[in-house]
PDB file of all heavy atoms in Angstrom:
ATOM      1  N   LEU A 201     -14.991  11.692  36.266  1.00 97.00           N
ATOM      2  CA  LEU A 201     -16.013  12.062  37.233  1.00 97.00           C
ATOM      3  C   LEU A 201     -15.594  11.714  38.623  1.00 97.00           C
ATOM      4  O   LEU A 201     -15.275  10.502  38.860  1.00 97.00           O
ATOM      5  CB  LEU A 201     -17.306  11.333  36.961  1.00 97.00           C
ATOM      6  CG  LEU A 201     -18.248  11.806  35.825  1.00 97.00           C
ATOM      7  CD1 LEU A 201     -19.043  10.595  35.261  1.00 97.00           C
ATOM      8  CD2 LEU A 201     -19.105  12.933  36.281  1.00 97.00           C
ATOM      9  N   GLY A 202     -15.441  12.714  39.442  1.00 96.00           N
ATOM     10  CA  GLY A 202     -14.982  12.531  40.813  1.00 96.00           C
ATOM     11  C   GLY A 202     -13.651  11.787  40.842  1.00 96.00           C
ATOM     12  O   GLY A 202     -13.445  10.887  41.770  1.00 96.00           O
ATOM     13  N   GLY A 203     -12.711  12.124  40.021  1.00 96.00           N
ATOM     14  CA  GLY A 203     -11.422  11.491  40.111  1.00 96.00           C
ATOM     15  C   GLY A 203     -11.272  10.174  39.348  1.00 96.00           C
ATOM     16  O   GLY A 203     -10.163   9.553  39.315  1.00 96.00           O
ATOM     17  N   VAL A 204     -12.406   9.535  39.008  1.00 98.00           N
ATOM     18  CA  VAL A 204     -12.416   8.263  38.351  1.00 98.00           C
ATOM     19  C   VAL A 204     -12.580   8.417  36.887  1.00 98.00           C
ATOM     20  O   VAL A 204     -13.490   9.195  36.390  1.00 98.00           O
ATOM     21  CB  VAL A 204     -13.453   7.324  38.946  1.00 98.00           C
ATOM     22  CG1 VAL A 204     -13.528   6.014  38.228  1.00 98.00           C
ATOM     23  CG2 VAL A 204     -13.314   7.143  40.493  1.00 98.00           C
ATOM     24  N   ILE A 205     -11.836   7.670  36.050  1.00 98.00           N
ATOM     25  CA  ILE A 205     -11.921   7.751  34.591  1.00 98.00           C
ATOM     26  C   ILE A 205     -12.900   6.732  34.114  1.00 98.00           C
ATOM     27  O   ILE A 205     -12.801   5.483  34.450  1.00 98.00           O
ATOM     28  CB  ILE A 205     -10.459   7.466  34.003  1.00 98.00           C
ATOM     29  CG1 ILE A 205      -9.469   8.529  34.649  1.00 98.00           C
ATOM     30  CG2 ILE A 205     -10.592   7.617  32.499  1.00 98.00           C
ATOM     31  CD1 ILE A 205      -8.092   8.243  34.204  1.00 98.00           C
ATOM     32  N   HIS A 206     -13.817   7.099  33.388  1.00 98.00           N
ATOM     33  CA  HIS A 206     -14.822   6.229  32.816  1.00 98.00           C
ATOM     34  C   HIS A 206     -14.720   6.211  31.300  1.00 98.00           C
ATOM     35  O   HIS A 206     -14.449   7.283  30.646  1.00 98.00           O
ATOM     36  CB  HIS A 206     -16.251   6.687  33.134  1.00 98.00           C
ATOM     37  CG  HIS A 206     -16.438   6.607  34.606  1.00 98.00           C
ATOM     38  ND1 HIS A 206     -16.039   7.797  35.435  1.00 98.00           N
ATOM     39  CD2 HIS A 206     -17.019   5.819  35.433  1.00 98.00           C
ATOM     40  CE1 HIS A 206     -16.466   7.441  36.700  1.00 98.00           C
ATOM     41  NE2 HIS A 206     -17.024   6.194  36.739  1.00 98.00           N
ATOM     42  N   THR A 207     -14.993   5.130  30.673  1.00 98.00           N
ATOM     43  CA  THR A 207     -15.086   5.026  29.161  1.00 98.00           C
ATOM     44  C   THR A 207     -16.081   3.954  28.771  1.00 98.00           C
ATOM     45  O   THR A 207     -16.210   2.980  29.534  1.00 98.00           O
ATOM     46  CB  THR A 207     -13.685   4.789  28.586  1.00 98.00           C
ATOM     47  OG1 THR A 207     -13.668   5.028  27.246  1.00 98.00           O
ATOM     48  CG2 THR A 207     -13.077   3.391  28.877  1.00 98.00           C
ATOM     49  N   PRO A 208     -16.833   4.173  27.730  1.00 98.00           N
ATOM     50  CA  PRO A 208     -17.836   3.145  27.324  1.00 98.00           C
ATOM     51  C   PRO A 208     -17.194   1.777  27.067  1.00 98.00           C
ATOM     52  O   PRO A 208     -15.982   1.681  26.569  1.00 98.00           O
ATOM     53  CB  PRO A 208     -18.445   3.742  26.087  1.00 98.00           C
ATOM     54  CG  PRO A 208     -18.123   5.156  26.063  1.00 98.00           C
ATOM     55  CD  PRO A 208     -16.840   5.384  26.816  1.00 98.00           C
ATOM     56  N   PRO A 209     -17.827   0.726  27.346  1.00 96.00           N
ATOM     57  CA  PRO A 209     -17.373  -0.585  27.071  1.00 96.00           C
ATOM     58  C   PRO A 209     -17.534  -1.068  25.646  1.00 96.00           C
ATOM     59  O   PRO A 209     -18.221  -0.376  24.900  1.00 96.00           O
ATOM     60  CB  PRO A 209     -18.303  -1.511  27.931  1.00 96.00           C
ATOM     61  CG  PRO A 209     -19.550  -0.788  27.969  1.00 96.00           C
ATOM     62  CD  PRO A 209     -19.284   0.650  27.848  1.00 96.00           C
ATOM     63  N   GLN A 210     -16.908  -2.204  25.265  1.00 90.00           N
ATOM     64  CA  GLN A 210     -17.035  -2.682  23.909  1.00 90.00           C
ATOM     65  C   GLN A 210     -18.456  -2.916  23.404  1.00 90.00           C
ATOM     66  O   GLN A 210     -18.869  -2.667  22.258  1.00 90.00           O
ATOM     67  CB  GLN A 210     -16.375  -4.031  23.800  1.00 90.00           C
ATOM     68  CG  GLN A 210     -14.854  -4.037  23.886  1.00 90.00           C
ATOM     69  CD  GLN A 210     -14.152  -3.184  22.782  1.00 90.00           C
ATOM     70  OE1 GLN A 210     -14.664  -3.229  21.656  1.00 90.00           O
ATOM     71  NE2 GLN A 210     -13.284  -2.387  23.164  1.00 90.00           N
ATOM     72  N   THR A 211     -19.362  -3.249  24.389  1.00 89.00           N
ATOM     73  CA  THR A 211     -20.820  -3.455  24.017  1.00 89.00           C
ATOM     74  C   THR A 211     -21.531  -2.143  23.681  1.00 89.00           C
ATOM     75  O   THR A 211     -22.604  -2.224  23.151  1.00 89.00           O
ATOM     76  CB  THR A 211     -21.524  -4.030  25.202  1.00 89.00           C
ATOM     77  OG1 THR A 211     -21.126  -3.373  26.428  1.00 89.00           O
ATOM     78  CG2 THR A 211     -21.180  -5.540  25.385  1.00 89.00           C
ATOM     79  N   ALA A 212     -20.829  -1.073  23.807  1.00 91.00           N
ATOM     80  CA  ALA A 212     -21.474   0.296  23.384  1.00 91.00           C
ATOM     81  C   ALA A 212     -21.211   0.513  21.881  1.00 91.00           C
ATOM     82  O   ALA A 212     -21.189   1.767  21.486  1.00 91.00           O
ATOM     83  CB  ALA A 212     -21.063   1.343  24.297  1.00 91.00           C
ATOM     84  N   SER A 213     -20.900  -0.460  21.047  1.00 96.00           N
ATOM     85  CA  SER A 213     -20.669  -0.199  19.635  1.00 96.00           C
ATOM     86  C   SER A 213     -19.496   0.554  19.271  1.00 96.00           C
ATOM     87  O   SER A 213     -19.479   1.266  18.247  1.00 96.00           O
ATOM     88  CB  SER A 213     -21.875   0.391  18.974  1.00 96.00           C
ATOM     89  OG  SER A 213     -22.990  -0.561  18.947  1.00 96.00           O
TER      90      SER A 213
END
Side-chain angles (χ1 to χ4, degrees):
L201 283 154
V204 176
I205 303 171
H206 300 82
T207 193
Q210 289 301 321
T211 45
S213 293

